[in-house]
Amino acid sequence: MLALAVALGVACTSPTLPLPPPAQPTISVGSEPSTFRLKSDRGAIPNALIVVVNRNESLPRTQRVAGTLADEQGSWELEIVANVGDVVDISQEDGTTRSPATTVTLK
């Protein structure tokens, strides 16, 4: 009984593993001018919040950030406002934990 209590105590104080960055998505031209579609099949953890930040400071702040939720298999898709050559950072969040970013240059 004491061993079980000690094991549970250690398990509760163990640090959680960091989230891995999401996999590099496929990139295609979006449905509107100056947009790109990003798509990832099973490239994130299931149900993660996917956050995309465009580093292009000439875009309005409201157009520089986009997000979506991955499905139960970790797949996701979204369209962002961007120009050829823009650099975007893609991260995933689970609860209060955020992954390092996957950085992509749009071509």
Side-chain angles (χ1 to χ4, degrees):
M1 189 71 154
L2 179 60
L4 177 60
V6 169
L8 288 175
V10 170
C12 291
T13 61
S14 298
T16 58
L17 294 174
L19 287 179
Q24 181 114 5
T26 57
I27 302 166
S28 59
V29 175
S31 62
E32 299 289 326
S34 298
T35 63
F36 285 84
R37 180 171 301 281
L38 307 178
K39 181 178 180 181
S40 180
D41 291 322
R42 300 178 186 217
I45 62 170
N47 304 307
L49 171 63
I50 306 299
V51 179
V52 180
V53 179
N54 190 332
R55 293 186 192 176
N56 182 347
E57 293 181 1
S58 69
L59 291 174
R61 293 173 77 86
T62 57
Q63 294 180 348
R64 291 183 56 207
V65 178
T68 190
L69 292 170
D71 65 17
E72 294 80 17
Q73 288 77 41
S75 298
W76 59 272
E77 182 175 354
L78 61 72
E79 194 163 284
I80 61 168
V81 174
N83 298 300
V84 172
D86 283 0
V87 176
V88 297
D89 294 318
I90 307 164
S91 61
Q92 61 181 330
E93 295 181 15
D94 183 33
T96 60
T97 306
R98 179 181 278 186
S99 73
T102 296
T103 301
V104 178
T105 301
L106 303 174
K107 300 177 183 177

